[in-house]
Amino acid sequence: MISIKDVAKYAGVSVATVSRVLNNSGYVGQDTRKKVEKAIEELNYKPNEVARSLFKKQSTTIGLIVPDIMNPFFPELARAVEDTAIQLGYNVILCNSDGDQKKEQNYLDILQQQYVNGIIVSSNTLTAAQIVRLNIPVVSIDRVISKGLPTIVVENKKGAMMATRYLQSKGCRRIGHIKGNSSVVNAEERCEGYKEIIGNEPWFDETYIAEGQYDMQSSIQATLELLQRHPDIDGIFAANDIMAIGAIKAAYQLGKRVPEDIAIIGFDGISLSKATTPELTTIEQPIYEMGEKATKMLVSLMEQQTVDQENYKILDVTLIEREST
Amino acid sequence: MISIKDVAKYAGVSVATVSRVLNNSGYVGQDTRKKVEKAIEELNYKPNEVARSLFKKQSTTIGLIVPDIMNPFFPELARAVEDTAIQLGYNVILCNSDGDQKKEQNYLDILQQQYVNGIIVSSNTLTAAQIVRLNIPVVSIDRVISKGLPTIVVENKKGAMMATRYLQSKGCRRIGHIKGNSSVVNAEERCEGYKEIIGNEPWFDETYIAEGQYDMQSSIQATLELLQRHPDIDGIFAANDIMAIGAIKAAYQLGKRVPEDIAIIGFDGISLSKATTPELTTIEQPIYEMGEKATKMLVSLMEQQTVDQENYKILDVTLIEREST
DNA sequence: TTGAAAGCGTTACCAT
DNA sequence: ATGGTAACGCTTTCAA
């Protein structure tokens, strides 16, 4: 790799001067600048980011910690983060925490050792204290860690209310809920939204709620039990799309047609929801926008541009009507 | 951040000594080692990876370049790579190239500037020359760039033959093929495998092949055309799962039942293929294993452990029989 | 306007 | 067995 010294020698100037034109800082004469630029060009010189990082005590890298990139929600998020980051001059280190507290702390340590400038994290277990201790900007995405921390989330409760009300409007009389993993904040919020709408119905009690683990398998199980407990259920609001798909499968297993016998609505709007048959009606989160906003927010935090906007954003969700309802 | 100097001072030794215990290289006395270890522990010291990288001219980071993490094949691959990398002490920088030659070269430059030790890449446009010029190990995954380069691929042709033969065994008389993007090598290989089996059938000609773009939308279109051209088709081999799902949708649109009227088989074995109704019969690639093997191969290349094994691996594929056939 | 040199945190060589 | 120090490639301060 060719270094700043080589460029300096080639251009017949000092490394300091090369550095100045590189960062255009300080005074540099017209001709000198030309010479240096020519040298850079001809030698195809690219500054060593590691050396820069060491001096500046910060890298051009950000960390992205997600529970599991295989969970269909996260690839789109990751894509948005990476797209935005590269555009702003940053790289993204991908970390899969499995929602495990120890792994998360481990990644935090590692990222700090790598001098990453900032971190975007989707976690249920991380505490505000852990984050503050890091001393670098962190944006929490999809989940609220603490009201004081920069955050991007969506209207979970409102979305859940929309979903439930929509099922009612479609004529559903008994609406069950497949709830997400209760250690996840947004699962609670979505459940609250559901209860907000049907909590006062005379038929309602807690047995209309079954808990899944935000994955397909657990949802099939949960739905099977739910429908056996309450064969009269004609509508299901699942707390995410994967579980909604599981619910559809379970309904089929019991010989019910979707949407004729039972209407099913999901939450998230992952691309998978368009690939199923029937296509899934869902509450769509602006996933890409979340990643983009989070990254922009993080970068302005990192670059200390006084964050002109609020750094706690609650994004809106949209009902996407498809075939499962 | 606390540095090696702090540790040295705290332990009452020189930085050189601390460095020795850190890397356990060179001689260190028993008691001295104890003192240093205690200091490290008590100060919660973590060595600065950036400084290390600068000195060693290599980082503990590898690059992963994929066309698009949103393509369902890649999250599982990325997960495998990251899992394996972290276990071996490396981080992963994620790059989405969109298969664009300029973006790929750009990422190559950036990764080199970051002193990454090695790169795993899935690309159709990268040339052997570009890679050799980098002067760091590169493992090509899912696509062959050059026979001489470390590579992990699967038996594409064989898998395609299996798929086509399987459709025959299920009683299909007219089998069409939805081909992948022809700029992608594996699309050609899969097409070859298909032709190998039915190329000599009296009814066969090239119009039984329709080209999609490895995505759902293009496949729906391609399948619609294919089935209108040849209404007697009763079996389709799609070059990947997404396109197979598109084919199912197209079949439904034309009022055909799957698998009763038409059997459809995919390729890849992405998790999505289990989520559809009907569940998709497919040729499963060992995606996770590919990522794992590629990472291990890359790391041994990086660490110069003479690669005991061949560094050109062709992995086997498996027929997964489900409901669509 | 330019250059020399210190320093970022680490490792490895050379002394001792 | 241990310490001093140059070097990795860069930026920035201080002098000139």
Side-chain angles (χ1 to χ4, degrees):
Chain A
M1 276 286 271
I2 120 136
S3 85
I4 196 172
K5 269 189 195 162
D6 304 313
V7 177
K9 200 171 299 175
Y10 190 91
V13 299
S14 74
V15 295
T17 303
V18 178
S19 176
R20 280 191 205 98
V21 347
L22 239 35
N23 304 283
N24 40 50
S25 58
Y27 293 93
V28 177
Q30 272 299 315
D31 325 351
T32 320
R33 157 162 277 125
K34 284 251 166 61
K35 275 192 300 184
V36 173
E37 276 164 351
K38 185 156 154 285
I40 290 177
E41 177 74 18
E42 291 183 3
L43 297 177
N44 188 28
Y45 165 70
K46 304 267 193 317
N48 180 325
E49 281 303 329
V50 174
R52 281 186 156 168
S53 297
L54 180 59
F55 185 89
K56 299 257 206 73
K57 287 171 179 283
Q58 51 180 272
S59 69
T60 53
T61 305
I62 65 179
L64 172 63
I65 305 180
V66 298
D68 181 5
I69 190 72
M70 284 170 68
N71 174 330
F73 179 82
F74 293 108
E76 186 168 349
L77 191 72
R79 173 77 208 224
V81 169
E82 207 268 322
D83 280 356
T84 314
I86 203 74
Q87 200 186 304
L88 299 173
Y90 293 87
N91 289 112
V92 177
I93 292 184
L94 176 68
C95 311
N96 295 100
S97 70
D98 288 320
D100 178 297
Q101 189 147 14
K102 284 187 79 171
K103 288 193 191 175
E104 280 171 356
Q105 183 56 57
N106 185 234
Y107 276 117
L108 254 27
D109 289 344
I110 291 175
L111 292 174
Q112 199 170 26
Q113 285 179 65
Q114 302 274 16
Y115 273 156
V116 302
N117 280 7
I119 299 176
I120 295 177
V121 62
S122 175
S123 163
N124 308 294
T125 60
L126 237 44
T127 64
Q130 273 176 297
I131 289 179
V132 170
R133 192 181 328 136
L134 275 181
N135 228 6
I136 54 174
V138 173
V139 172
S140 172
I141 198 164
D142 192 37
R143 305 170 189 193
V144 178
I145 291 178
S146 152
K147 279 280 178 186
L149 263 27
T151 304
I152 303 270
V153 282
V154 297
E155 297 276 14
N156 284 305
K157 184 169 175 185
K158 183 174 154 200
M161 290 168 63
M162 284 165 58
T164 314
R165 243 193 243 112
Y166 173 77
L167 289 178
Q168 286 181 328
S169 79
K170 281 288 174 177
C172 299
R173 299 272 133 247
R174 292 284 186 282
I175 300 175
H177 177 50
I178 309 295
K179 186 178 165 180
N181 201 310
S182 55
S183 66
V184 181
V185 183
N186 59 27
E188 292 298 340
E189 293 171 347
R190 292 172 196 178
C191 187
E192 273 173 36
Y194 159 77
K195 285 193 200 165
E196 185 87 15
I197 301 298
I198 49 72
N200 292 324
E201 298 282 329
W203 53 265
F204 176 76
D205 64 53
E206 293 284 335
T207 63
Y208 276 85
I209 301 175
E211 184 167 331
Q213 301 299 309
Y214 267 149
D215 65 8
M216 194 169 83
Q217 207 46 55
S218 66
S219 168
I220 294 179
Q221 200 50 45
T223 308
L224 249 24
E225 286 167 24
L226 183 66
L227 291 180
Q228 265 142 15
R229 196 155 59 222
H230 296 293
D232 55 344
I233 283 180
D234 54 3
I236 289 183
F237 163 47
N240 77 358
D241 287 344
I242 304 284
M243 294 202 300
I245 290 165
I248 292 178
K249 283 186 178 292
Y252 283 153
Q253 279 183 33
L254 296 176
K256 297 189 187 250
R257 290 165 306 160
V258 179
E260 293 82 354
D261 301 328
I262 184 168
I264 296 179
I265 185 170
F267 202 114
D268 276 357
I270 60 178
S271 54
L272 181 51
S273 64
K274 271 195 294 285
T276 56
T277 313
E279 293 184 6
L280 192 64
T281 296
T282 189
I283 302 294
E284 184 178 67
Q285 302 193 45
I287 305 181
Y288 194 95
E289 189 189 346
M290 291 169 73
E292 190 180 352
K293 283 234 162 70
T295 309
K296 285 184 176 163
M297 186 186 283
L298 184 69
V299 170
S300 29
L301 251 25
M302 291 177 337
E303 299 181 349
Q304 315 251 32
Q305 300 156 201
T306 33
V307 197
D308 33 36
Q309 330 125 34
E310 193 52 77
N311 60 7
Y312 191 98
K313 283 223 172 73
I314 306 182
L315 271 39
D316 224 332
V317 292
T318 319
L319 176 65
I320 306 286
E321 212 171 335
R322 287 198 280 243
E323 304 162 359
S324 67
T325 52
Chain B
M1 278 284 272
I2 119 133
S3 83
I4 197 173
K5 271 189 193 164
D6 304 314
V7 177
K9 201 171 296 174
Y10 191 90
V13 299
S14 75
V15 294
T17 303
V18 178
S19 177
R20 278 189 211 100
V21 346
L22 239 34
N23 303 283
N24 38 50
S25 57
Y27 294 95
V28 178
Q30 273 300 314
D31 324 353
T32 321
R33 158 161 277 125
K34 285 249 168 59
K35 275 193 301 186
V36 173
E37 276 164 353
K38 187 155 153 287
I40 289 176
E41 176 74 18
E42 290 182 5
L43 297 176
N44 187 28
Y45 164 71
K46 304 268 194 312
N48 180 325
E49 282 302 330
V50 175
R52 281 184 157 172
S53 298
L54 180 60
F55 186 87
K56 300 258 205 75
K57 288 173 179 281
Q58 52 180 269
S59 69
T60 54
T61 304
I62 65 179
L64 172 64
I65 306 182
V66 297
D68 181 5
I69 190 72
M70 284 169 69
N71 174 331
F73 179 82
F74 293 108
E76 187 169 349
L77 190 73
R79 174 73 209 225
V81 170
E82 207 269 321
D83 280 357
T84 313
I86 203 74
Q87 201 186 302
L88 298 174
Y90 294 87
N91 289 111
V92 177
I93 292 184
L94 176 68
C95 312
N96 297 98
S97 70
D98 288 320
D100 178 298
Q101 189 147 16
K102 283 186 81 168
K103 287 193 191 175
E104 280 171 356
Q105 183 55 57
N106 185 235
Y107 276 117
L108 254 27
D109 289 344
I110 292 175
L111 292 174
Q112 198 170 28
Q113 285 179 64
Q114 302 274 15
Y115 272 157
V116 301
N117 282 5
I119 299 177
I120 295 177
V121 63
S122 175
S123 162
N124 307 295
T125 61
L126 236 43
T127 64
Q130 272 177 299
I131 289 179
V132 170
R133 194 182 325 139
L134 275 179
N135 228 5
I136 53 174
V138 172
V139 173
S140 173
I141 198 165
D142 192 36
R143 305 171 191 195
V144 178
I145 291 178
S146 151
K147 279 278 176 184
L149 263 26
T151 304
I152 303 271
V153 283
V154 297
E155 296 277 14
N156 283 305
K157 183 168 174 186
K158 183 175 155 197
M161 289 167 63
M162 286 165 58
T164 313
R165 244 193 242 112
Y166 174 77
L167 288 178
Q168 287 181 328
S169 80
K170 281 288 174 176
C172 298
R173 299 271 135 245
R174 292 284 186 281
I175 300 174
H177 177 50
I178 309 294
K179 185 178 168 180
N181 202 311
S182 53
S183 66
V184 182
V185 184
N186 59 27
E188 292 298 340
E189 293 171 346
R190 291 172 196 178
C191 187
E192 272 171 37
Y194 159 77
K195 284 193 201 166
E196 184 88 15
I197 301 297
I198 48 73
N200 291 324
E201 298 280 331
W203 53 264
F204 176 76
D205 64 54
E206 294 283 334
T207 63
Y208 276 84
I209 300 175
E211 183 167 332
Q213 301 300 307
Y214 267 149
D215 65 7
M216 193 167 84
Q217 207 47 55
S218 66
S219 168
I220 294 180
Q221 199 50 45
T223 308
L224 249 25
E225 285 167 23
L226 184 66
L227 291 179
Q228 265 144 14
R229 196 156 56 219
H230 297 294
D232 55 344
I233 284 180
D234 54 2
I236 289 183
F237 163 47
N240 76 357
D241 288 344
I242 305 284
M243 294 202 299
I245 290 166
I248 293 180
K249 283 188 179 291
Y252 283 153
Q253 280 184 32
L254 296 176
K256 299 190 186 253
R257 290 165 307 159
V258 179
E260 293 82 354
D261 301 328
I262 185 168
I264 295 179
I265 185 169
F267 202 113
D268 277 357
I270 60 178
S271 54
L272 180 52
S273 63
K274 274 195 293 285
T276 56
T277 311
E279 293 184 5
L280 192 64
T281 295
T282 190
I283 302 294
E284 185 179 66
Q285 302 193 47
I287 306 182
Y288 194 94
E289 189 190 346
M290 291 169 72
E292 191 180 351
K293 283 237 164 65
T295 310
K296 285 183 177 166
M297 185 185 286
L298 184 69
V299 170
S300 25
L301 252 23
M302 291 179 336
E303 299 180 349
Q304 316 250 33
Q305 299 156 204
T306 33
V307 196
D308 33 36
Q309 327 124 36
E310 194 49 79
N311 60 7
Y312 190 98
K313 283 222 173 75
I314 305 182
L315 270 39
D316 224 333
V317 293
T318 319
L319 175 65
I320 306 285
E321 211 171 335
R322 287 197 282 242
E323 303 162 0
S324 67
T325 52

